[in-house]
Amino acid sequence: MPLRKPSESEIKLIAFMAKNVNHALPADWSETILVNNMDDGGTGSLTIQYADGKTYEQRRFGRELSEYTFKDKDRLLVTVTLNLDEDDNLYELDIWKVDFSSVIAYPEL
């Protein structure tokens, strides 16, 4: 799948998760990242890369930054994990829904 700019709801979710653990993102992060849907069965996980940096495949997982759980519109639990690469840059937004279906809507944050 092609890289794309993140949606407004994806930006809000990433910002919320980073702020929740007092992790400062670069001022222009939302303008400099590109995302790609992961091959995860359609739940909505994203790879994250910076437009002027290494590709996702050239980087390695570093650590989990933040985790957040919410109920989707169908009342099923969704767990979202924001991961960083080995250089502490945004790496993945990993999404897991209890029935493995697609997330209907991100929470209102």
mmCIF file of all heavy atoms in Angstrom, residues 23-72:
data_model
loop_
_atom_site.group_PDB
_atom_site.id
_atom_site.type_symbol
_atom_site.label_atom_id
_atom_site.label_comp_id
_atom_site.label_asym_id
_atom_site.label_seq_id
_atom_site.Cartn_x
_atom_site.Cartn_y
_atom_site.Cartn_z
ATOM 1 N N HIS A 23 5.707 12.608 26.546
ATOM 2 C CA HIS A 23 6.739 12.457 25.514
ATOM 3 C C HIS A 23 6.591 13.614 24.524
ATOM 4 O O HIS A 23 5.552 13.761 23.878
ATOM 5 C CB HIS A 23 6.575 11.120 24.785
ATOM 6 C CG HIS A 23 7.605 10.897 23.723
ATOM 7 N ND1 HIS A 23 8.872 10.469 24.015
ATOM 8 C CD2 HIS A 23 7.554 11.056 22.379
ATOM 9 C CE1 HIS A 23 9.566 10.357 22.891
ATOM 10 N NE2 HIS A 23 8.782 10.712 21.887
ATOM 11 N N ALA A 24 7.618 14.436 24.426
ATOM 12 C CA ALA A 24 7.578 15.591 23.523
ATOM 13 C C ALA A 24 7.867 15.144 22.089
ATOM 14 O O ALA A 24 8.907 14.542 21.823
ATOM 15 C CB ALA A 24 8.589 16.633 23.960
ATOM 16 N N LEU A 25 6.939 15.442 21.214
ATOM 17 C CA LEU A 25 7.139 15.184 19.786
ATOM 18 C C LEU A 25 7.707 16.443 19.145
ATOM 19 O O LEU A 25 7.432 17.554 19.606
ATOM 20 C CB LEU A 25 5.812 14.821 19.126
ATOM 21 C CG LEU A 25 5.170 13.511 19.578
ATOM 22 C CD1 LEU A 25 3.758 13.394 19.023
ATOM 23 C CD2 LEU A 25 6.011 12.324 19.144
ATOM 24 N N PRO A 26 8.486 16.305 18.070
ATOM 25 C CA PRO A 26 8.972 17.507 17.379
ATOM 26 C C PRO A 26 7.794 18.389 16.963
ATOM 27 O O PRO A 26 6.702 17.895 16.662
ATOM 28 C CB PRO A 26 9.688 16.935 16.146
ATOM 29 C CG PRO A 26 10.007 15.522 16.495
ATOM 30 C CD PRO A 26 8.931 15.065 17.429
ATOM 31 N N ALA A 27 8.011 19.680 16.942
ATOM 32 C CA ALA A 27 6.933 20.641 16.661
ATOM 33 C C ALA A 27 6.209 20.354 15.349
ATOM 34 O O ALA A 27 5.002 20.509 15.251
ATOM 35 C CB ALA A 27 7.492 22.061 16.659
ATOM 36 N N ASP A 28 6.931 19.909 14.344
ATOM 37 C CA ASP A 28 6.344 19.702 13.018
ATOM 38 C C ASP A 28 6.066 18.235 12.706
ATOM 39 O O ASP A 28 5.877 17.860 11.554
ATOM 40 C CB ASP A 28 7.252 20.290 11.952
ATOM 41 C CG ASP A 28 8.611 19.608 11.898
ATOM 42 O OD1 ASP A 28 8.965 18.856 12.834
ATOM 43 O OD2 ASP A 28 9.338 19.841 10.909
ATOM 44 N N TRP A 29 6.003 17.396 13.721
ATOM 45 C CA TRP A 29 5.902 15.948 13.498
ATOM 46 C C TRP A 29 4.728 15.570 12.609
ATOM 47 O O TRP A 29 4.857 14.708 11.752
ATOM 48 C CB TRP A 29 5.832 15.192 14.831
ATOM 49 C CG TRP A 29 4.525 15.341 15.535
ATOM 50 C CD1 TRP A 29 4.182 16.305 16.427
ATOM 51 C CD2 TRP A 29 3.376 14.507 15.403
ATOM 52 N NE1 TRP A 29 2.890 16.136 16.860
ATOM 53 C CE2 TRP A 29 2.375 15.031 16.244
ATOM 54 C CE3 TRP A 29 3.093 13.362 14.664
ATOM 55 C CZ2 TRP A 29 1.110 14.457 16.359
ATOM 56 C CZ3 TRP A 29 1.834 12.794 14.777
ATOM 57 C CH2 TRP A 29 0.863 13.343 15.615
ATOM 58 N N SER A 30 3.579 16.197 12.821
ATOM 59 C CA SER A 30 2.390 15.791 12.058
ATOM 60 C C SER A 30 2.483 16.175 10.580
ATOM 61 O O SER A 30 1.786 15.605 9.746
ATOM 62 C CB SER A 30 1.120 16.369 12.680
ATOM 63 O OG SER A 30 1.127 17.777 12.614
ATOM 64 N N GLU A 31 3.362 17.123 10.268
ATOM 65 C CA GLU A 31 3.557 17.537 8.878
ATOM 66 C C GLU A 31 4.656 16.738 8.188
ATOM 67 O O GLU A 31 4.773 16.767 6.965
ATOM 68 C CB GLU A 31 3.907 19.030 8.817
ATOM 69 C CG GLU A 31 2.828 19.932 9.371
ATOM 70 C CD GLU A 31 1.530 19.823 8.603
ATOM 71 O OE1 GLU A 31 1.554 19.752 7.358
ATOM 72 O OE2 GLU A 31 0.467 19.790 9.255
ATOM 73 N N THR A 32 5.477 16.034 8.980
ATOM 74 C CA THR A 32 6.635 15.358 8.396
ATOM 75 C C THR A 32 6.529 13.835 8.405
ATOM 76 O O THR A 32 7.432 13.170 7.915
ATOM 77 C CB THR A 32 7.931 15.760 9.132
ATOM 78 O OG1 THR A 32 7.821 15.380 10.505
ATOM 79 C CG2 THR A 32 8.185 17.247 9.009
ATOM 80 N N ILE A 33 5.436 13.294 8.950
ATOM 81 C CA ILE A 33 5.301 11.840 8.932
ATOM 82 C C ILE A 33 4.388 11.385 7.788
ATOM 83 O O ILE A 33 3.520 12.132 7.333
ATOM 84 C CB ILE A 33 4.783 11.255 10.265
ATOM 85 C CG1 ILE A 33 3.345 11.691 10.556
ATOM 86 C CG2 ILE A 33 5.722 11.577 11.403
ATOM 87 C CD1 ILE A 33 2.683 10.915 11.691
ATOM 88 N N LEU A 34 4.636 10.167 7.376
ATOM 89 C CA LEU A 34 3.776 9.472 6.426
ATOM 90 C C LEU A 34 3.412 8.145 7.065
ATOM 91 O O LEU A 34 4.185 7.596 7.848
ATOM 92 C CB LEU A 34 4.508 9.244 5.101
ATOM 93 C CG LEU A 34 4.923 10.502 4.350
ATOM 94 C CD1 LEU A 34 5.825 10.144 3.168
ATOM 95 C CD2 LEU A 34 3.701 11.260 3.865
ATOM 96 N N VAL A 35 2.236 7.642 6.765
ATOM 97 C CA VAL A 35 1.785 6.383 7.348
ATOM 98 C C VAL A 35 1.408 5.406 6.239
ATOM 99 O O VAL A 35 1.170 5.795 5.099
ATOM 100 C CB VAL A 35 0.589 6.580 8.312
ATOM 101 C CG1 VAL A 35 0.990 7.468 9.484
ATOM 102 C CG2 VAL A 35 -0.619 7.149 7.606
ATOM 103 N N ASN A 36 1.373 4.140 6.638
ATOM 104 C CA ASN A 36 0.985 3.085 5.718
ATOM 105 C C ASN A 36 0.200 2.063 6.524
ATOM 106 O O ASN A 36 0.602 1.717 7.639
ATOM 107 C CB ASN A 36 2.228 2.445 5.102
ATOM 108 C CG ASN A 36 1.905 1.558 3.924
ATOM 109 O OD1 ASN A 36 0.764 1.394 3.528
ATOM 110 N ND2 ASN A 36 2.933 0.959 3.360
ATOM 111 N N ASN A 37 -0.901 1.592 5.989
ATOM 112 C CA ASN A 37 -1.669 0.564 6.678
ATOM 113 C C ASN A 37 -0.861 -0.719 6.733
ATOM 114 O O ASN A 37 -0.318 -1.149 5.713
ATOM 115 C CB ASN A 37 -2.998 0.312 5.968
ATOM 116 C CG ASN A 37 -3.900 1.509 6.004
ATOM 117 O OD1 ASN A 37 -3.541 2.565 6.503
ATOM 118 N ND2 ASN A 37 -5.082 1.360 5.462
ATOM 119 N N MET A 38 -0.791 -1.324 7.918
ATOM 120 C CA MET A 38 -0.066 -2.586 8.069
ATOM 121 C C MET A 38 -0.940 -3.728 7.559
ATOM 122 O O MET A 38 -2.166 -3.628 7.571
ATOM 123 C CB MET A 38 0.297 -2.818 9.533
ATOM 124 C CG MET A 38 1.329 -1.861 10.055
ATOM 125 S SD MET A 38 1.654 -2.078 11.818
ATOM 126 C CE MET A 38 2.805 -3.434 11.771
ATOM 127 N N ASP A 39 -0.298 -4.785 7.158
ATOM 128 C CA ASP A 39 -1.000 -5.991 6.729
ATOM 129 C C ASP A 39 -1.371 -6.773 7.989
ATOM 130 O O ASP A 39 -0.690 -7.716 8.381
ATOM 131 C CB ASP A 39 -0.110 -6.817 5.805
ATOM 132 C CG ASP A 39 -0.825 -8.022 5.240
ATOM 133 O OD1 ASP A 39 -2.072 -8.064 5.291
ATOM 134 O OD2 ASP A 39 -0.135 -8.939 4.758
ATOM 135 N N ASP A 40 -2.442 -6.330 8.663
ATOM 136 C CA ASP A 40 -2.825 -6.896 9.959
ATOM 137 C C ASP A 40 -4.246 -7.447 9.945
ATOM 138 O O ASP A 40 -4.871 -7.581 10.985
ATOM 139 C CB ASP A 40 -2.672 -5.849 11.058
ATOM 140 C CG ASP A 40 -3.638 -4.673 10.894
ATOM 141 O OD1 ASP A 40 -4.344 -4.608 9.873
ATOM 142 O OD2 ASP A 40 -3.691 -3.818 11.796
ATOM 143 N N GLY A 41 -4.758 -7.716 8.785
ATOM 144 C CA GLY A 41 -6.122 -8.212 8.690
ATOM 145 C C GLY A 41 -7.155 -7.112 8.675
ATOM 146 O O GLY A 41 -8.343 -7.364 8.764
ATOM 147 N N GLY A 42 -6.711 -5.871 8.606
ATOM 148 C CA GLY A 42 -7.637 -4.752 8.487
ATOM 149 C C GLY A 42 -8.026 -4.080 9.784
ATOM 150 O O GLY A 42 -8.956 -3.287 9.806
ATOM 151 N N THR A 43 -7.337 -4.356 10.895
ATOM 152 C CA THR A 43 -7.725 -3.715 12.160
ATOM 153 C C THR A 43 -7.391 -2.233 12.177
ATOM 154 O O THR A 43 -7.993 -1.482 12.919
ATOM 155 C CB THR A 43 -7.075 -4.404 13.380
ATOM 156 O OG1 THR A 43 -5.673 -4.351 13.257
ATOM 157 C CG2 THR A 43 -7.558 -5.823 13.524
ATOM 158 N N GLY A 44 -6.400 -1.808 11.403
ATOM 159 C CA GLY A 44 -6.096 -0.389 11.311
ATOM 160 C C GLY A 44 -4.710 0.010 11.780
ATOM 161 O O GLY A 44 -4.416 1.193 11.884
ATOM 162 N N SER A 45 -3.839 -0.956 12.063
ATOM 163 C CA SER A 45 -2.475 -0.631 12.488
ATOM 164 C C SER A 45 -1.742 0.119 11.383
ATOM 165 O O SER A 45 -1.982 -0.103 10.199
ATOM 166 C CB SER A 45 -1.703 -1.900 12.839
ATOM 167 O OG SER A 45 -2.308 -2.577 13.909
ATOM 168 N N LEU A 46 -0.814 1.000 11.801
ATOM 169 C CA LEU A 46 -0.076 1.828 10.853
ATOM 170 C C LEU A 46 1.419 1.741 11.087
ATOM 171 O O LEU A 46 1.867 1.715 12.234
ATOM 172 C CB LEU A 46 -0.458 3.308 11.027
ATOM 173 C CG LEU A 46 -1.909 3.705 10.870
ATOM 174 C CD1 LEU A 46 -2.088 5.161 11.261
ATOM 175 C CD2 LEU A 46 -2.379 3.476 9.452
ATOM 176 N N THR A 47 2.185 1.731 10.010
ATOM 177 C CA THR A 47 3.616 2.001 10.117
ATOM 178 C C THR A 47 3.764 3.509 9.970
ATOM 179 O O THR A 47 2.957 4.165 9.307
ATOM 180 C CB THR A 47 4.437 1.298 9.026
ATOM 181 O OG1 THR A 47 4.069 1.811 7.744
ATOM 182 C CG2 THR A 47 4.230 -0.208 9.067
ATOM 183 N N ILE A 48 4.798 4.048 10.608
ATOM 184 C CA ILE A 48 5.036 5.491 10.560
ATOM 185 C C ILE A 48 6.464 5.723 10.099
ATOM 186 O O ILE A 48 7.391 5.090 10.591
ATOM 187 C CB ILE A 48 4.840 6.135 11.952
ATOM 188 C CG1 ILE A 48 3.434 5.853 12.485
ATOM 189 C CG2 ILE A 48 5.116 7.639 11.888
ATOM 190 C CD1 ILE A 48 3.238 6.231 13.949
ATOM 191 N N GLN A 49 6.626 6.623 9.162
ATOM 192 C CA GLN A 49 7.978 7.026 8.784
ATOM 193 C C GLN A 49 7.989 8.520 8.503
ATOM 194 O O GLN A 49 6.950 9.129 8.252
ATOM 195 C CB GLN A 49 8.515 6.226 7.626
ATOM 196 C CG GLN A 49 7.909 6.522 6.278
ATOM 197 C CD GLN A 49 8.511 5.625 5.206
ATOM 198 O OE1 GLN A 49 8.475 4.423 5.309
ATOM 199 N NE2 GLN A 49 9.048 6.232 4.172
ATOM 200 N N TYR A 50 9.168 9.078 8.609
ATOM 201 C CA TYR A 50 9.337 10.503 8.341
ATOM 202 C C TYR A 50 9.648 10.687 6.866
ATOM 203 O O TYR A 50 10.408 9.912 6.284
ATOM 204 C CB TYR A 50 10.443 11.081 9.232
ATOM 205 C CG TYR A 50 10.038 11.102 10.685
ATOM 206 C CD1 TYR A 50 10.184 9.977 11.484
ATOM 207 C CD2 TYR A 50 9.436 12.225 11.230
ATOM 208 C CE1 TYR A 50 9.770 9.981 12.812
ATOM 209 C CE2 TYR A 50 9.023 12.237 12.558
ATOM 210 C CZ TYR A 50 9.192 11.107 13.331
ATOM 211 O OH TYR A 50 8.769 11.112 14.628
ATOM 212 N N ALA A 51 9.057 11.709 6.274
ATOM 213 C CA ALA A 51 9.181 11.928 4.834
ATOM 214 C C ALA A 51 10.641 12.058 4.391
ATOM 215 O O ALA A 51 10.989 11.665 3.288
ATOM 216 C CB ALA A 51 8.402 13.172 4.431
ATOM 217 N N ASP A 52 11.505 12.579 5.258
ATOM 218 C CA ASP A 52 12.897 12.799 4.873
ATOM 219 C C ASP A 52 13.859 11.804 5.527
ATOM 220 O O ASP A 52 15.063 12.008 5.514
ATOM 221 C CB ASP A 52 13.320 14.222 5.226
ATOM 222 C CG ASP A 52 13.201 14.490 6.724
ATOM 223 O OD1 ASP A 52 12.659 13.636 7.453
ATOM 224 O OD2 ASP A 52 13.656 15.556 7.164
ATOM 225 N N GLY A 53 13.347 10.714 6.073
ATOM 226 C CA GLY A 53 14.208 9.776 6.795
ATOM 227 C C GLY A 53 14.219 8.386 6.192
ATOM 228 O O GLY A 53 13.802 8.166 5.060
ATOM 229 N N LYS A 54 14.706 7.440 7.000
ATOM 230 C CA LYS A 54 14.775 6.046 6.589
ATOM 231 C C LYS A 54 13.371 5.475 6.435
ATOM 232 O O LYS A 54 12.439 5.901 7.107
ATOM 233 C CB LYS A 54 15.491 5.214 7.650
ATOM 234 C CG LYS A 54 16.931 5.541 7.852
ATOM 235 C CD LYS A 54 17.504 4.559 8.875
ATOM 236 C CE LYS A 54 18.352 5.249 9.887
ATOM 237 N NZ LYS A 54 18.821 4.356 10.935
ATOM 238 N N THR A 55 13.248 4.478 5.580
ATOM 239 C CA THR A 55 11.963 3.809 5.418
ATOM 240 C C THR A 55 11.668 2.971 6.657
ATOM 241 O O THR A 55 12.563 2.679 7.461
ATOM 242 C CB THR A 55 11.962 2.881 4.182
ATOM 243 O OG1 THR A 55 12.879 1.812 4.410
ATOM 244 C CG2 THR A 55 12.312 3.635 2.919
ATOM 245 N N TYR A 56 10.452 2.557 6.796
ATOM 246 C CA TYR A 56 10.049 1.701 7.915
ATOM 247 C C TYR A 56 10.908 0.435 7.948
ATOM 248 O O TYR A 56 11.356 0.004 9.008
ATOM 249 C CB TYR A 56 8.561 1.359 7.776
ATOM 250 C CG TYR A 56 8.060 0.371 8.788
ATOM 251 C CD1 TYR A 56 7.768 0.772 10.088
ATOM 252 C CD2 TYR A 56 7.874 -0.969 8.449
ATOM 253 C CE1 TYR A 56 7.312 -0.141 11.031
ATOM 254 C CE2 TYR A 56 7.416 -1.884 9.376
ATOM 255 C CZ TYR A 56 7.132 -1.466 10.667
ATOM 256 O OH TYR A 56 6.686 -2.372 11.598
ATOM 257 N N GLU A 57 11.144 -0.143 6.801
ATOM 258 C CA GLU A 57 11.912 -1.390 6.704
ATOM 259 C C GLU A 57 13.374 -1.218 7.106
ATOM 260 O O GLU A 57 14.030 -2.184 7.484
ATOM 261 C CB GLU A 57 11.829 -1.968 5.282
ATOM 262 C CG GLU A 57 10.453 -2.440 4.876
ATOM 263 C CD GLU A 57 9.498 -1.311 4.489
ATOM 264 O OE1 GLU A 57 9.956 -0.178 4.228
ATOM 265 O OE2 GLU A 57 8.288 -1.555 4.468
ATOM 266 N N GLN A 58 13.902 -0.009 7.012
ATOM 267 C CA GLN A 58 15.291 0.259 7.371
ATOM 268 C C GLN A 58 15.471 0.519 8.873
ATOM 269 O O GLN A 58 16.586 0.687 9.329
ATOM 270 C CB GLN A 58 15.820 1.466 6.588
ATOM 271 C CG GLN A 58 15.917 1.231 5.109
ATOM 272 C CD GLN A 58 16.236 2.509 4.361
ATOM 273 O OE1 GLN A 58 15.670 3.569 4.624
ATOM 274 N NE2 GLN A 58 17.158 2.408 3.413
ATOM 275 N N ARG A 59 14.379 0.584 9.593
ATOM 276 C CA ARG A 59 14.433 0.896 11.020
ATOM 277 C C ARG A 59 14.041 -0.331 11.828
ATOM 278 O O ARG A 59 13.501 -1.288 11.305
ATOM 279 C CB ARG A 59 13.472 2.055 11.306
ATOM 280 C CG ARG A 59 13.874 3.307 10.548
ATOM 281 C CD ARG A 59 12.769 4.322 10.381
ATOM 282 N NE ARG A 59 12.148 4.721 11.616
ATOM 283 C CZ ARG A 59 10.837 4.961 11.743
ATOM 284 N NH1 ARG A 59 10.038 4.843 10.718
ATOM 285 N NH2 ARG A 59 10.332 5.337 12.887
ATOM 286 N N ARG A 60 14.282 -0.260 13.123
ATOM 287 C CA ARG A 60 13.950 -1.369 14.020
ATOM 288 C C ARG A 60 13.134 -0.867 15.205
ATOM 289 O O ARG A 60 13.300 0.259 15.654
ATOM 290 C CB ARG A 60 15.212 -2.027 14.545
ATOM 291 C CG ARG A 60 16.090 -2.587 13.466
ATOM 292 C CD ARG A 60 16.771 -3.860 13.906
ATOM 293 N NE ARG A 60 17.708 -4.377 12.942
ATOM 294 C CZ ARG A 60 17.405 -4.935 11.803
ATOM 295 N NH1 ARG A 60 16.169 -5.047 11.433
ATOM 296 N NH2 ARG A 60 18.331 -5.400 10.990
ATOM 297 N N PHE A 61 12.276 -1.756 15.689
ATOM 298 C CA PHE A 61 11.499 -1.466 16.892
ATOM 299 C C PHE A 61 12.457 -1.130 18.037
ATOM 300 O O PHE A 61 13.463 -1.808 18.236
ATOM 301 C CB PHE A 61 10.642 -2.686 17.259
ATOM 302 C CG PHE A 61 9.967 -2.568 18.586
ATOM 303 C CD1 PHE A 61 8.772 -1.879 18.708
ATOM 304 C CD2 PHE A 61 10.521 -3.145 19.714
ATOM 305 C CE1 PHE A 61 8.139 -1.767 19.943
ATOM 306 C CE2 PHE A 61 9.902 -3.037 20.955
ATOM 307 C CZ PHE A 61 8.704 -2.344 21.053
ATOM 308 N N GLY A 62 12.104 -0.085 18.787
ATOM 309 C CA GLY A 62 12.901 0.307 19.936
ATOM 310 C C GLY A 62 12.206 0.010 21.251
ATOM 311 O O GLY A 62 12.687 -0.758 22.076
ATOM 312 N N ARG A 63 11.006 0.608 21.406
ATOM 313 C CA ARG A 63 10.270 0.409 22.651
ATOM 314 C C ARG A 63 8.818 0.856 22.496
ATOM 315 O O ARG A 63 8.482 1.611 21.593
ATOM 316 C CB ARG A 63 10.921 1.164 23.796
ATOM 317 C CG ARG A 63 10.861 2.687 23.652
ATOM 318 C CD ARG A 63 11.633 3.384 24.770
ATOM 319 N NE ARG A 63 11.689 4.813 24.577
ATOM 320 C CZ ARG A 63 10.901 5.693 25.205
ATOM 321 N NH1 ARG A 63 10.007 5.280 26.072
ATOM 322 N NH2 ARG A 63 11.021 6.981 24.973
ATOM 323 N N GLU A 64 8.004 0.359 23.429
ATOM 324 C CA GLU A 64 6.615 0.790 23.512
ATOM 325 C C GLU A 64 6.594 2.103 24.278
ATOM 326 O O GLU A 64 7.154 2.197 25.364
ATOM 327 C CB GLU A 64 5.806 -0.266 24.247
ATOM 328 C CG GLU A 64 4.358 0.105 24.441
ATOM 329 C CD GLU A 64 3.603 -0.949 25.221
ATOM 330 O OE1 GLU A 64 3.625 -2.122 24.816
ATOM 331 O OE2 GLU A 64 3.004 -0.580 26.249
ATOM 332 N N LEU A 65 5.956 3.104 23.712
ATOM 333 C CA LEU A 65 5.863 4.394 24.380
ATOM 334 C C LEU A 65 4.606 4.496 25.224
ATOM 335 O O LEU A 65 4.642 4.925 26.373
ATOM 336 C CB LEU A 65 5.883 5.539 23.359
ATOM 337 C CG LEU A 65 5.705 6.938 23.956
ATOM 338 C CD1 LEU A 65 6.903 7.301 24.822
ATOM 339 C CD2 LEU A 65 5.484 7.965 22.861
ATOM 340 N N SER A 66 3.481 4.088 24.657
ATOM 341 C CA SER A 66 2.205 4.325 25.321
ATOM 342 C C SER A 66 1.182 3.301 24.855
ATOM 343 O O SER A 66 1.235 2.835 23.721
ATOM 344 C CB SER A 66 1.723 5.742 24.968
ATOM 345 O OG SER A 66 0.488 6.037 25.529
ATOM 346 N N GLU A 67 0.257 2.982 25.744
ATOM 347 C CA GLU A 67 -0.840 2.075 25.399
ATOM 348 C C GLU A 67 -2.138 2.705 25.855
ATOM 349 O O GLU A 67 -2.194 3.328 26.917
ATOM 350 C CB GLU A 67 -0.625 0.714 26.069
ATOM 351 C CG GLU A 67 -1.652 -0.321 25.642
ATOM 352 C CD GLU A 67 -1.345 -1.698 26.207
ATOM 353 O OE1 GLU A 67 -0.422 -2.350 25.680
ATOM 354 O OE2 GLU A 67 -2.002 -2.077 27.177
ATOM 355 N N TYR A 68 -3.173 2.524 25.060
ATOM 356 C CA TYR A 68 -4.479 3.113 25.360
ATOM 357 C C TYR A 68 -5.565 2.126 24.948
ATOM 358 O O TYR A 68 -5.480 1.512 23.887
ATOM 359 C CB TYR A 68 -4.638 4.435 24.584
ATOM 360 C CG TYR A 68 -5.930 5.144 24.825
ATOM 361 C CD1 TYR A 68 -6.252 5.665 26.075
ATOM 362 C CD2 TYR A 68 -6.839 5.319 23.797
ATOM 363 C CE1 TYR A 68 -7.444 6.338 26.285
ATOM 364 C CE2 TYR A 68 -8.036 5.992 23.999
ATOM 365 C CZ TYR A 68 -8.334 6.494 25.243
ATOM 366 O OH TYR A 68 -9.515 7.155 25.456
ATOM 367 N N THR A 69 -6.558 1.955 25.793
ATOM 368 C CA THR A 69 -7.675 1.057 25.497
ATOM 369 C C THR A 69 -8.969 1.861 25.492
ATOM 370 O O THR A 69 -9.174 2.718 26.351
ATOM 371 C CB THR A 69 -7.749 -0.071 26.547
ATOM 372 O OG1 THR A 69 -6.515 -0.796 26.516
ATOM 373 C CG2 THR A 69 -8.878 -1.033 26.248
ATOM 374 N N PHE A 70 -9.819 1.571 24.516
ATOM 375 C CA PHE A 70 -11.118 2.242 24.424
ATOM 376 C C PHE A 70 -12.138 1.275 23.854
ATOM 377 O O PHE A 70 -11.782 0.221 23.330
ATOM 378 C CB PHE A 70 -11.026 3.514 23.570
ATOM 379 C CG PHE A 70 -10.733 3.279 22.108
ATOM 380 C CD1 PHE A 70 -11.759 3.174 21.179
ATOM 381 C CD2 PHE A 70 -9.425 3.174 21.663
ATOM 382 C CE1 PHE A 70 -11.493 2.965 19.841
ATOM 383 C CE2 PHE A 70 -9.138 2.961 20.312
ATOM 384 C CZ PHE A 70 -10.176 2.862 19.408
ATOM 385 N N LYS A 71 -13.403 1.635 23.969
ATOM 386 C CA LYS A 71 -14.475 0.849 23.360
ATOM 387 C C LYS A 71 -14.842 1.478 22.026
ATOM 388 O O LYS A 71 -15.095 2.676 21.931
ATOM 389 C CB LYS A 71 -15.704 0.800 24.270
ATOM 390 C CG LYS A 71 -15.525 -0.128 25.445
ATOM 391 C CD LYS A 71 -16.820 -0.322 26.188
ATOM 392 C CE LYS A 71 -16.599 -1.296 27.334
ATOM 393 N NZ LYS A 71 -17.819 -1.500 28.106
ATOM 394 N N ASP A 72 -14.888 0.633 21.009
ATOM 395 C CA ASP A 72 -15.267 1.078 19.675
ATOM 396 C C ASP A 72 -16.784 1.317 19.640
ATOM 397 O O ASP A 72 -17.502 1.023 20.592
ATOM 398 C CB ASP A 72 -14.846 0.010 18.653
ATOM 399 C CG ASP A 72 -14.663 0.555 17.251
ATOM 400 O OD1 ASP A 72 -14.990 1.729 16.995
ATOM 401 O OD2 ASP A 72 -14.194 -0.199 16.383
#
